Amino acid sequence: MFSKTLVLGAAAAVALSAGLAGTANAQSRDQIRVVGSSTVFPFTTAVAEAFGRGGKFKTPVVESTGTGGGMKLFCAGVGPAHPDLTNASRRIKKSEVEQCAANGVTQITELKVGFDGVVIANAKGGPAADFKLEHLWKALAKEVPVNGKMVANPYKKWSDVDPSLPNEEIELIGPPPTSGTRDSLNELVMEAGCHKVAEVKQIITDAKALSTACMSVREDGAYVEAGENDNLIVQKLTANPAAFGAFGYSFYDQNRDKLKTAKVNGVEVSPETVQAGKYPISRMLYVYAKNAHVGTIPGMREFLAEYTSERAMGDEGYLADKGLIPEPKAERDNVRSSVTNLTPLKM
Amino acid sequence: MSAGNSRSLYQSDEFATRLQRRYAAERRFRMIGIAAIGMATLMLVVLLGSIISKGYTAFLQTEMRVEVTFDPTDVQERNYAAILRRGLYAQFPDATDRASRRALNDLLSSGAPFALEDMVRQDPSLVGTTRTVWVLADDTVDQFMKGAISRDTPESQRPLTDAKIAAIDALSASGALSTGFNTTLFTSGDSREPEQAGIWGAIAGSAMTLIVTMLLSVPIGVAAAIYLEEFAPKNRWTMLIEVNINNLAAVPSIIYGLLGLAVLLGFFGMPRSAPLVGGVVLALMTLPVIIITSRVALKSVPPSIREAALGIGASPLQSVTHHVLPLAMPGILTGTIIGMARALGETAPLLMIGMVAFIVDVPQGFTDSATVLPVQIFMWADSPERAFSERTSGAIMVLLGFLILMNGLAVFLRKKFERRW
């Protein structure tokens, strides 16, 4: 009896592995596949769900692979084995466009989704603050200029950096280096703040060394890496009112009862200030589409139309409910027309 | 007990103190043991307590009663939102301006019109009639009814405006809001709207993945264990294989994901996010565990059984299949189920092969895109909406339930078929 079950089991295993080999190559897709940034993920998934609800097409599958990982998959080639769209929390790089072209992905349409603001916030009970970018840099950089020399960051309290800041220990809970939010912090806070401190440029003349010095974050516990999960940062902030946190706007939007934001360069974060370009820590989010897949993968054109529709990315669209800060109306119209015409990206 | 007091003539003082010290050492050890168990239990209680206290509300969901008239033209245009809105506005005759109507619309789940559409599809005779239906309320309404949103917080800081709270109060006063069992959680796939999100898609994905894992890893694992234990010569090669199998059991699971990405997706060109691929990867991961536990189970069958079988003329294969394997079965089953339970809780290798994804449709086959239960938990934990945090805990409770079920089954099977010599 047991020998029989064994033989049957073995036969099943063999049949299964034969089945595996059978699926190879013989695949076509009737479902859109999206990869890329975890920052754009909540927005693209909302669009995918609304698109699937329309009933004509299957709901697209959206993977969260990070911007860089998504670009790699996206640029790997044309055909049903490769994703149709990729989310990006930054613009596609020239090197990535070249990589794409080398694999036959020559025509790419760029869709500007809208803005993502990075907020600096703390618990309701904590102190109010108005940071200047250079304050943030001085508080977080590994080495800062003191008396004409770069020394290991001596600042213990925010008020040491600038008397106008709260008299509290410096503690900023933020994303780890793998996160797209960290990329924005590096670029929009560390780099921009660094360039406002004139002494740094006088001390370090080499451009490369300057950029490294600007981007290096201190490792003595003042900057706390909290993992990819922004909910965790919110929890830590409520537990520790003296600490500040840096995370995406949508998480602040959902936790207004627990958190308050700090001003940056005197500007309060809000959809209006981000739209107007006044709030300094915000970035554009992108989705890239493979033109070659329009027509071969069902629903590509319709999905892009849904994404750029007013009910999605408009001022009162469902993406705004999810925490996206929409672009101004004129810009949205531009995006819509370039996506409808599948205008290929030119670098 | 009172060893120190009743001392016989032949016992020296040193003996008495030594004896007492030994008793004391034993008592200390017991105390430490109890403390260790106590600590572990405390941790477990805290963990389970926090999950359950956060998560039990996920099994409840607020619904709203609306009286709707299935207008034939609206049905034809699939404008079910309009049907629903008319019913809702009828309960608030005062709300005539755009802003207050918009506020009322926000109280309903964006999935509610689709529920009406499904009703009409199932029963076309509804068209033209007026019915009382219960539809999903928005997650903010749900959170408010569960007390997660307080009316004491200033208006600017909560997701519900004063006008909406007034409308909710009016609705619940007239009995049009009720909180009942959350069936959506167990019947639908993922969604970006918490009130429409369910774990059925993830459970189906997990089940399919585990079926593939089991079909591959159990026959191969058991066959390998039998050969290695009963037939293989003991030489340098089998030693090498044994060391490698033990090694593989300790390899971090993400490595198997990388293997799956390179070989299954890259070389064989299999579809991304498919339970088939996930199952193969997890089968590779559980194989060493099954081989090792099966070998231990086979080894624990006394040699006298084999010798007796061979003695009355059975072939080596017959002695194994008729006697050794049935006797080792409880141990093999236990190992298999524990291996499967580990595979059920795994996410890291699935990340590489695209099963960490937002998938709304419930998978229908082994090559459909699917996700699994732990991945679903991971993705909900990362969502900004407050209502997802209770659903995260709720889904963890379901996963724990499955794990307890599987481990309980392992214990039961062992107890039922166990033989002692």
Side-chain angles (χ1 to χ4, degrees):
Chain A
M1 174 215 144
F2 264 98
S3 60
K4 231 178 228 170
T5 38
L6 251 182
V7 169
L8 275 181
V14 170
L16 198 68
S17 27
L20 300 187
T23 52
N25 309 324
Q27 54 164 320
S28 64
R29 245 178 328 109
D30 58 351
Q31 195 171 25
I32 294 175
R33 297 201 67 104
V34 191
V35 292
S37 164
S38 57
T39 317
V40 193
F41 179 82
F43 307 124
T44 302
T45 47
V47 176
E49 192 176 354
F51 174 73
R53 276 289 165 88
K56 286 191 203 118
F57 302 99
K58 278 189 171 180
T59 310
V61 171
V62 188
E63 272 182 62
S64 166
T65 61
T67 303
M71 285 295 175
K72 242 187 192 166
L73 287 165
F74 180 78
C75 288
V78 176
H82 306 287
D84 313 309
L85 301 117
T86 186
N87 297 324
S89 57
R90 54 163 170 78
R91 200 153 191 241
I92 191 168
K93 289 180 193 160
K94 198 155 195 275
S95 59
E96 286 163 341
V97 173
E98 284 158 5
Q99 181 65 36
C100 262
N103 291 323
V105 186
T106 45
Q107 306 248 305
I108 303 169
T109 300
E110 181 179 75
L111 190 168
K112 286 181 184 164
V113 178
F115 299 100
D116 173 46
V118 177
V119 300
I120 309 283
N122 58 350
K124 273 259 132 68
D130 179 356
F131 295 113
K132 289 210 161 44
L133 288 178
E134 54 265 39
H135 296 161
L136 287 169
W137 180 77
K138 276 187 184 167
L140 298 176
K142 197 169 182 184
E143 291 189 331
V144 290
V146 174
N147 300 331
K149 260 202 309 225
M150 295 297 279
V151 295
N153 199 327
Y155 303 118
K156 291 270 180 278
K157 290 183 165 184
W158 291 105
S159 49
D160 297 344
V161 178
D162 191 279
S164 71
L165 294 177
N167 183 17
E168 295 278 358
E169 294 261 331
I170 296 173
E171 188 178 357
L172 188 86
I173 306 173
T178 47
S179 154
T181 314
R182 177 68 171 270
D183 288 345
S184 331
L185 272 185
N186 276 346
E187 188 184 328
L188 301 166
V189 176
M190 298 305 284
E191 201 171 5
C194 180
H195 288 314
K196 295 214 172 152
V197 184
E199 287 169 87
V200 187
K201 263 180 263 178
Q202 289 159 10
I203 301 168
I204 307 173
T205 43
D206 177 42
K208 213 164 193 176
L210 180 68
S211 147
T212 322
C214 282
M215 297 284 213
S216 301
V217 173
R218 65 199 285 186
E219 288 156 359
D220 55 0
Y223 182 84
V224 184
E225 282 177 9
E228 293 273 8
N229 190 330
D230 283 359
N231 276 327
L232 217 63
I233 301 183
V234 174
Q235 276 177 24
K236 284 186 179 166
L237 289 180
T238 42
N240 179 5
F244 285 87
F247 46 89
Y249 178 77
S250 48
F251 285 85
Y252 164 66
D253 203 31
Q254 291 287 332
N255 292 290
R256 279 170 191 272
D257 55 340
K258 291 182 187 163
L259 303 175
K260 69 168 185 291
T261 55
K263 287 183 187 169
V264 179
N265 283 354
V267 182
E268 197 85 63
V269 64
S270 76
E272 291 74 30
T273 53
V274 171
Q275 247 184 19
K278 284 184 196 147
Y279 184 76
I281 326 177
S282 77
R283 58 182 161 167
M284 181 68 81
L285 302 178
Y286 300 87
V287 169
Y288 292 95
K290 223 175 258 181
N291 289 6
H293 284 195
V294 176
T296 56
I297 305 291
M300 279 287 282
R301 223 175 248 283
E302 291 80 356
F303 181 72
L304 290 171
E306 171 73 38
Y307 216 132
T308 51
S309 67
E310 276 299 293
R311 70 189 195 100
M313 56 159 49
D315 281 324
E316 289 183 349
Y318 54 78
L319 292 183
D321 288 345
K322 294 275 167 229
L324 180 81
I325 299 168
E327 284 183 278
K329 178 88 175 69
E331 267 302 304
R332 291 202 297 271
D333 291 339
N334 279 342
V335 170
R336 193 166 307 125
S337 76
S338 82
V339 166
T340 323
N341 302 327
L342 295 173
T343 317
L345 172 79
K346 283 197 191 78
M347 291 299 275
Chain B
M1 287 294 107
S2 50
N5 304 336
S6 63
R7 166 151 71 87
S8 88
L9 214 62
Y10 307 103
Q11 292 174 348
S12 64
D13 284 346
E14 288 81 5
F15 177 90
T17 47
R18 274 204 306 273
L19 190 64
Q20 239 168 4
R21 219 180 292 146
R22 279 160 63 194
Y23 275 120
E26 177 149 348
R27 271 197 303 276
R28 264 201 310 279
F29 181 76
R30 281 177 189 224
M31 293 291 276
I32 291 169
I34 290 173
I37 298 274
M39 277 294 276
T41 320
L42 187 74
M43 302 255 182
L44 188 68
V45 166
V46 168
L47 179 73
L48 285 181
S50 85
I51 289 172
I52 291 172
S53 66
K54 266 192 225 149
Y56 77 96
T57 47
F59 300 107
L60 301 172
Q61 167 67 37
T62 306
E63 296 195 325
M64 194 188 290
R65 187 185 63 203
V66 188
E67 198 158 299
V68 292
T69 307
F70 291 96
D71 185 80
T73 43
D74 279 339
V75 170
Q76 200 150 33
E77 288 167 6
R78 297 182 59 218
N79 195 356
Y80 293 90
I83 297 177
L84 208 55
R85 272 180 215 156
R86 269 201 305 277
L88 184 63
Y89 297 158
Q91 302 186 42
F92 293 93
D94 299 341
T96 47
D97 58 304
R98 219 178 104 81
S100 55
R101 289 199 154 179
R102 205 183 142 80
L104 285 178
N105 285 337
D106 286 349
L107 300 182
L108 281 170
S109 162
S110 62
F114 298 100
L116 290 190
E117 188 171 356
D118 283 345
M119 286 169 68
V120 171
R121 200 177 298 138
Q122 272 167 24
D123 182 8
S125 69
L126 284 175
V127 179
T129 61
T130 300
R131 293 291 161 99
T132 304
V133 294
W134 286 92
V135 291
L136 287 177
D138 189 63
D139 59 310
T140 49
V141 178
D142 184 50
Q143 292 296 296
F144 179 76
M145 294 298 282
K146 288 173 183 168
I149 297 171
S150 162
R151 68 175 76 221
D152 299 330
T153 34
E155 187 176 9
S156 63
Q157 291 161 18
R158 55 175 139 79
L160 288 166
T161 56
D162 286 342
K164 285 184 189 171
I165 289 187
I168 293 173
D169 286 339
L171 283 169
S172 65
S174 66
L177 279 179
S178 91
T179 303
F181 183 70
N182 187 357
T183 42
T184 317
L185 187 66
F186 294 97
T187 53
S188 62
D190 196 8
S191 169
R192 285 289 292 125
E193 303 300 328
E195 74 277 5
Q196 299 169 44
I199 51 174
W200 180 240
I203 290 177
S206 271
M208 286 181 196
T209 309
L210 279 191
I211 287 172
V212 175
T213 304
M214 204 163 73
L215 284 182
L216 279 177
S217 63
V218 174
I220 296 176
V222 174
I226 291 173
Y227 181 76
L228 282 176
E229 197 55 41
E230 303 287 332
F231 296 100
K234 300 267 174 284
N235 59 24
R236 208 179 288 172
W237 286 111
T238 49
M239 274 280 284
L240 193 70
I241 288 172
E242 197 177 329
V243 167
N244 272 301
I245 289 172
N246 290 341
N247 235 341
L248 280 178
V251 163
S253 55
I254 187 116
I255 307 290
Y256 292 99
L258 287 168
L259 183 81
L261 177 68
V263 176
L264 298 174
L265 297 186
F267 187 71
F268 286 113
M270 286 194 208
R272 275 180 83 82
S273 322
L276 182 67
V277 183
V280 176
V281 168
L282 292 181
L284 292 176
M285 193 193 79
T286 37
L287 255 181
V289 178
I290 292 182
I291 293 177
I292 291 168
T293 49
S294 300
R295 287 190 68 179
V296 171
L298 289 167
K299 212 178 271 175
S300 69
V301 175
S304 55
I305 305 269
R306 293 184 188 83
E307 281 153 17
L310 294 175
I312 57 166
S315 72
L317 182 65
Q318 280 173 330
S319 96
V320 167
T321 54
H322 293 178
H323 302 284
V324 179
L325 191 56
L327 289 172
M329 224 43 195
I332 294 176
L333 279 178
T334 313
T336 305
I337 293 173
I338 288 171
M340 288 296 138
R342 193 187 146 196
L344 175 64
E346 198 60 66
T347 54
L350 303 178
L351 186 79
M352 290 289 134
I353 53 167
M355 286 184 87
V356 179
F358 174 76
I359 293 159
V360 175
D361 302 331
V362 176
Q364 305 295 327
F366 288 98
T367 50
D368 279 3
S369 295
T371 185
V372 293
L373 208 42
V375 168
Q376 190 67 75
I377 292 167
F378 167 71
M379 289 200 302
W380 282 358
D382 224 7
S383 300
E385 288 84 2
R386 198 77 69 77
F388 270 123
S389 77
E390 63 171 28
R391 277 164 175 78
T392 307
S393 297
I396 292 173
M397 282 159 74
V398 174
L399 180 66
L400 281 179
F402 277 117
L403 290 175
I404 290 172
L405 216 67
M406 287 174 85
N407 287 319
L409 187 70
V411 172
F412 171 76
L413 288 174
R414 196 170 58 221
K415 284 268 175 279
K416 189 161 179 285
F417 294 111
E418 200 171 42
R419 286 259 194 107
R420 288 184 189 281
W421 289 282

